[in-house]
């Protein structure tokens, strides 16, 4: 029981101490905050900003740094920086577009180009940040929904890159010709004999050779070159063989299939990863519905007020008396009666 009472006394004492300590802490914090603000105010009054003088040639001077620097001094300092013009980001977008075009269109010719582009962009990210923050004026703020026309240009470059890559793979490499040989012409389903299969014959006796070429050829009558043509002894010498047309058909089929598959994959990825999150789309639709309901309610309330007030009364024109009652009067003219109003 004594232990329990001691615990109660300790808790009550602790509550009293905290209740006594909080007002003191609050007063001290207010006192030091006021003292700090008075020191800053005295510093500004004792050492006011000087914006220079043309006559004496004295440069500008700011008394403080950071948030305490006067706004006018920051504006004047910003005016001395380089002017970015009305389109300060045009060159940056153009540079990124050219880099994107080279990387996407000709990546089969230089596969490690994206890696070098990544290193370049990591370095350029910091240099551009320093340029825009310290060397150029602050641009004028303007709200935009996206990157504007650059999005359409990037879409066109992407579609061209798909076709360019397909043509590079099909017409500048032996990949399809090797695959065609393996699946259609090789008896063992491998590349054995592909070099001899891909070389054609040419009769060198029809050319005038110098001593160096004769020494190089020796007694050879034919030479081999890489192409799919008929031999000189054929009925139509040096004409394209059926293998050439077969390879050409395979190349065009590959370009067609590659293009459609790539476009379908791009559309699928764009569908799976929308530009706006689904939650944001729902919120925007809800806002549009609420705005439409408010507009309808305002129109209905205006129409009800017009009905309760009644139609507007028309005042008679100046110089004419108002006729309260129209009394018909019958006249006869050539046996015909008609009504005439006064």
């Amino acid at each position: 029981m004594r232990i329990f009472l001691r615990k109660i006394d300790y808790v009550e004492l602790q509550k009293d101490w905290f209740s006594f300590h909080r007002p003191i802490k609050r007063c001290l914090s207010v006192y030091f905050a006021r003292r700090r603000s008075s020191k800053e105010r005295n510093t500004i009054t004792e050492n006011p900003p000087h914006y220079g003088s043309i006559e004496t040639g004295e440069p500008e001077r700011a008394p403080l740094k950071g948030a305490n620097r006067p706004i006018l001094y920051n504006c004047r300092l910003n005016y001395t920086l380089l002017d970015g013009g009305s389109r300060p980001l045009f060159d940056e977008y153009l540079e990124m577009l050219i880099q994107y075009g080279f990387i996407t269109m000709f990546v089969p010719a230089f596969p490690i180009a994206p890696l070098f582009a990544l290193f370049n962009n990591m370095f350029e990210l910091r240099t551009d940040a320093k340029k825009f923050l310290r060397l150029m004026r602050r641009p004028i703020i303007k709200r935009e929904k996206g990157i504007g026309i650059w999005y359409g240009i990037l879409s066109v470059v992407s579609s061209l890159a798909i076709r360019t890559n397909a043509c590079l793979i099909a017409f500048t490499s032996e990949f399809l010709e090797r695959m065609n040989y393996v699946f259609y012409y090789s008896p063992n389903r491998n590349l054995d004999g592909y070099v001899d299969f891909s070389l054609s014959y040419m009769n060198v006796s029809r050319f005038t050779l110098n001593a160096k070429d004769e020494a190089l050829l020796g007694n050879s009558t034919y030479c081999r070159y890489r192409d799919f043509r008929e031999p000189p002894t054929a009925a139509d010498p040096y004409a394209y063989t059926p293998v050439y047309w077969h390879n050409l058909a395979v190349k065009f089929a590959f370009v067609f299939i590659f293009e459609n598959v790539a476009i379908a994959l791009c559309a699928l990825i764009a569908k799976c990863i929308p530009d706006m999150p689904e939650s944001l789309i729902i919120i925007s639709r809800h806002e549009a519905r609420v705005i439409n309901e408010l507009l309808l309610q305002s129109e209905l309330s205006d129409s009800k007020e017009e009905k309760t007030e009644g139609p507007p009364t028309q005042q008679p024109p100046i110089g004419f008396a108002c006729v309260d009652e129209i009394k018909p009067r019958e006249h006869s003219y050539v046996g015909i009666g008609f009504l005439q109003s006064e």
Side-chain angles (χ1 to χ4, degrees), residues 11 13-31:
V11 171
L13 180 62
Q14 193 175 12
K15 287 182 179 179
D16 294 339
W17 165 251
F18 279 111
S19 61
F20 176 75
H21 178 260
R22 285 174 183 172
I24 296 176
K25 185 177 180 181
R26 190 179 298 111
C27 293
L28 290 175
S29 61
V30 172
Y31 169 75

Side-chain angles (χ1 to χ4, degrees), residues 1-10:
M1 188 67 180
R2 292 179 180 178
I3 297 173
F4 180 74
L5 291 175
R6 287 179 182 177
K7 287 184 178 180
I8 293 176
D9 294 339
Y10 176 74

Side-chain angles (χ1 to χ4, degrees), residues 56-206:
T56 60
E58 188 176 356
E60 293 184 349
R61 182 181 71 252
L64 299 173
K65 296 182 179 180
N68 297 323
R69 179 179 291 179
I71 298 176
L72 183 59
Y73 179 81
N74 290 333
C75 296
R76 294 171 65 90
L77 184 62
N78 183 44
Y79 185 76
T80 59
L81 301 177
L82 297 175
D83 186 10
S86 59
R87 295 180 296 178
L89 297 178
F90 179 81
D91 295 334
E92 303 298 328
Y93 275 115
L94 184 61
E95 181 183 356
M96 290 294 103
L97 180 65
I98 293 173
Q99 185 189 85
Y100 177 76
F102 276 111
I103 290 173
T104 55
M105 288 184 180
F106 307 107
V107 68
F110 190 52
I112 61 173
L115 182 62
F116 287 101
L118 176 63
F119 292 151
N120 174 73
N121 292 340
M122 291 173 62
F123 177 75
E124 192 174 0
L125 183 66
R126 307 312 307 168
T127 56
D128 286 345
K130 184 177 181 180
K131 178 178 69 174
F132 282 108
L133 291 176
R134 298 188 178 183
L135 303 179
M136 296 184 67
R137 296 180 189 174
R138 300 295 183 267
I140 299 174
I141 299 174
K142 184 179 179 182
R143 295 186 64 181
E144 294 289 346
K145 295 181 65 176
I147 59 176
I149 195 174
W150 297 103
Y151 183 80
I153 297 174
L154 288 173
S155 301
V156 173
V157 171
S158 300
S159 61
L160 289 176
I162 294 172
R163 294 164 177 82
T164 304
N165 290 330
C167 293
L168 285 174
I169 295 172
F171 295 101
T172 63
S173 66
E174 297 183 11
F175 173 73
L176 296 177
E177 295 177 357
R178 290 172 182 268
M179 294 298 102
N180 191 24
Y181 174 79
V182 169
F183 289 105
Y184 288 96
Y185 298 102
S186 176
N188 301 323
R189 298 290 182 177
N190 54 23
L191 291 174
D192 294 341
Y194 171 75
V195 176
D196 184 69
F197 175 79
S198 62
L199 296 178
S200 300
Y201 289 89
M202 175 176 283
N203 189 1
V204 296
S205 60
R206 55 185 297 185

Side-chain angles (χ1 to χ4, degrees), residues 160-301:
L160 289 176
I162 294 172
R163 294 164 177 82
T164 304
N165 290 330
C167 293
L168 285 174
I169 295 172
F171 295 101
T172 63
S173 66
E174 297 183 11
F175 173 73
L176 296 177
E177 295 177 357
R178 290 172 182 268
M179 294 298 102
N180 191 24
Y181 174 79
V182 169
F183 289 105
Y184 288 96
Y185 298 102
S186 176
N188 301 323
R189 298 290 182 177
N190 54 23
L191 291 174
D192 294 341
Y194 171 75
V195 176
D196 184 69
F197 175 79
S198 62
L199 296 178
S200 300
Y201 289 89
M202 175 176 283
N203 189 1
V204 296
S205 60
R206 55 185 297 185
F207 299 105
T208 303
L209 304 177
N210 53 23
K212 184 178 180 180
D213 294 335
E214 289 179 355
L216 181 63
L217 292 174
N219 297 326
S220 300
T221 309
Y222 299 98
C223 69
R224 306 291 298 272
Y225 64 97
R226 189 184 179 281
D227 204 351
F228 297 95
R229 292 180 180 270
E230 297 289 347
T233 57
D236 189 7
Y238 305 113
Y240 287 115
T241 61
V243 178
Y244 171 82
W245 299 110
H246 189 193
N247 289 334
L248 188 63
V250 170
K251 292 177 181 179
F252 279 111
F254 172 80
V255 171
F256 179 77
I257 295 172
F258 183 89
E259 176 184 352
N260 287 275
V261 169
I263 292 174
L265 287 176
C266 292
L268 180 62
I269 294 172
K271 185 69 175 178
C272 296
I273 307 175
D275 297 335
M276 294 176 61
E278 187 176 358
S279 59
L280 186 59
I281 294 174
I282 294 173
I283 292 172
S284 61
R285 289 178 180 175
H286 178 70
E287 290 179 353
R289 183 174 61 83
V290 170
I291 291 171
N292 291 331
E293 290 179 356
L294 292 175
L295 291 175
L296 290 174
Q297 290 178 2
S298 63
E299 290 179 358
L300 289 174
S301 61

